[in-house]
Amino acid sequence: MTTERPKPNFPTLKCLLLLGFSVQALAGDMISGAAAQTRDHGVALSYDIFLGGFLSGTVDLSAKITDGHYHITTISSTHGVLDYLIELRRRNEVMGRFVAEKAYPTTYNTTGQWAGKDRSVQIEYGTQGDSGNIVRFVARPGAVEDEREAVPSNLLPGTMDPISAMYEALLRNEATGSCDGIAKVFDGRRRYNFRFQSIGNVDAGTLKDKAQLFSAPPGLVQICRIRQNILAGASKRKWLPRFVRPEWTDIWLAKIRADLPALPWRLEADAGMGAMVARLVAVGGRIYPPGEGPKSAASAAPTDKLYDRPRDDQK
C-alpha cells in the first residue's frame, strides 16, 4: 500500500516562502551599501528556517551588484516534517537595475518541485521608461490546473516580483532611514501588496535570552515589518485551518561584520502553531549541514556562533 502525500497548500508554507523571499531580497540591501564604494560587489548568505523550534527549511543565496544592476540567485528547500508534507525544492533568479532607492526588474524566474511536481514561473519586464510593465509571463501549471483564481490583466501594470519589491524597500531604508512604503507585487500566480513599516530599534543585549543558533550581535537591531494583502490569485483549496496566514513578518537588520553593511540577521513570523524564524547562519557560503555546527566534545551541541567563511584576501 502506498501513502499519498497531502496536497501541498496551506498558509504555513506561504509563511515559509514569504520568509524565503525576504531573505533573498535582503541580500541586495547588504551589498548595496558596499556597491556605493566599489564598482562590483557580491556576497553569499545562508539561512536556516525553523518552525516551532524545529528545522523546517533552508535558503542559500548569492547576490551581485554590477554597474547599477542587481542579480540575486537562491536555492531553497524544506526539511523535517514540512519536507514530508510538501517536499519543496526551488531555485529563484531575479535580474534588474536600480537607481537611487528604486528597483526595476528585467527578468524573474523560479523553477523547482512541490510535492514531486514541477512548477515554474517566468516573467519578463519592459526595459523602456520607468513603468516596469510586464511584457510576458508564463506559469506552469496554469491557474486552472493549479486550482486557483486567475489574476485579471488590469491588476498587472506597475507590479514587480517579490524579491525586487523587498530589495527596493531596503534601498529606501538605507537612503531614508525608514522602510515605510507599499509595493504592488505579482509573483506569476498571485497579485498582492506588500506594506512595509519601520518598527524601530531594539537593544541586541536584551535578546540574549531568546533561543538563538548564534550569539546576538552588539548594538542596536533595526526592525522592518512586512504585511501582505492578497488581491487576486488565491488558491481555492482550503485545509489545515490550524495553520494561519501570518499577519506580519519582521526583518531584523544588524551589523554582523565590520566590513559589511547591516545584514538581515533574523526574520520572524507567527504561523499560528508556533513562531517561524529564519536565522542567518553563515556568510560567504554554508560550511555545516542545515541546523548544525561543529560539535562540542563536552556537550555534543552546536556552538553558539555565526559561521563566517574567510574571504579571499584572508586565506
Side-chain angles (χ1 to χ4, degrees):
M1 182 180 69
T2 61
T3 301
E4 183 179 355
R5 182 184 287 107
K7 288 186 177 181
N9 180 54
F10 55 95
T12 295
L13 172 62
K14 295 171 183 176
C15 178
L16 173 64
L17 296 181
L18 179 58
L19 284 173
F21 281 137
S22 303
V23 165
Q24 297 154 21
L26 286 165
D29 176 63
M30 183 192 121
I31 61 181
S32 62
Q37 302 175 6
T38 181
R39 189 178 184 88
D40 300 341
H41 194 83
V43 71
L45 303 176
S46 298
Y47 292 82
D48 288 348
I49 301 175
F50 296 82
L51 174 61
F54 295 95
L55 181 68
S56 300
T58 57
V59 176
D60 294 279
L61 63 88
S62 63
K64 186 175 183 181
I65 291 290
T66 307
D67 292 331
H69 292 75
Y70 60 95
H71 183 185
I72 303 173
T73 303
T74 71
I75 304 294
S76 308
S77 63
T78 49
H79 292 263
V81 175
L82 197 59
D83 192 50
Y84 167 75
L85 289 172
I86 62 178
E87 193 181 358
L88 173 69
R89 305 290 183 269
R90 170 174 287 188
R91 182 182 190 275
N92 287 350
E93 183 176 25
V94 58
M95 301 179 68
R97 60 186 178 89
F98 67 93
V99 179
E101 67 269 22
K102 297 291 292 182
Y104 302 98
T106 54
T107 61
Y108 171 74
N109 297 284
T110 176
T111 58
Q113 290 191 327
W114 191 354
K117 297 182 179 180
D118 292 336
R119 297 174 69 83
S120 64
V121 167
Q122 295 87 38
I123 304 178
E124 297 178 8
Y125 300 86
T127 57
Q128 300 299 318
D130 295 337
S131 65
N133 285 334
I134 294 173
V135 297
R136 175 182 175 272
F137 82 89
V138 178
R140 298 187 177 90
V144 174
E145 185 180 354
D146 203 31
E147 298 182 53
R148 68 175 59 248
E149 305 167 350
V151 176
S153 59
N154 66 303
L155 292 181
L156 299 182
T159 59
M160 61 175 61
D161 67 273
I163 297 179
S164 295
M166 293 188 184
Y167 178 35
E168 181 176 275
L170 271 297
L171 289 174
R172 182 169 61 249
N173 185 76
E174 182 183 4
T176 67
S178 172
C179 67
D180 291 359
I182 298 176
K184 299 194 297 183
V185 178
F186 176 62
D187 62 12
R189 302 185 187 280
R190 297 177 300 157
R191 170 69 175 87
Y192 46 89
N193 289 341
F194 279 146
R195 180 181 294 273
F196 302 93
Q197 179 185 7
S198 290
I199 300 300
N201 299 325
V202 296
D203 185 350
T206 66
L207 307 174
K208 292 182 180 179
D209 291 335
K210 304 190 73 170
Q212 311 269 347
L213 195 61
F214 55 88
S215 297
L220 295 177
V221 175
Q222 185 178 10
I223 300 179
C224 179
R225 177 163 292 180
I226 305 174
R227 297 182 186 273
Q228 184 185 37
N229 178 29
I230 295 183
L231 304 178
S235 175
K236 298 178 181 178
R237 295 174 295 195
K238 309 294 182 184
W239 66 295
L240 292 182
R242 292 180 64 190
F243 290 91
V244 299
R245 183 186 306 280
E247 293 185 3
W248 46 261
T249 298
D250 280 352
I251 303 164
W252 301 18
L253 298 172
K255 190 80 171 177
I256 300 294
R257 209 170 70 185
D259 63 317
L260 294 172
L263 286 168
W265 167 62
R266 181 183 177 98
L267 297 92
E268 288 189 355
D270 184 357
M273 293 185 68
M276 184 166 280
V277 177
R279 300 168 179 164
L280 176 64
V281 295
V283 178
R286 189 178 293 273
I287 300 176
Y288 300 102
E292 298 182 15
K295 302 293 184 179
S296 164
S299 65
T303 58
D304 184 33
K305 66 175 293 185
L306 168 67
Y307 306 112
D308 190 355
R309 186 182 295 279
R311 304 187 302 278
D312 291 339
D313 60 355
Q314 296 177 332
K315 295 178 180 179

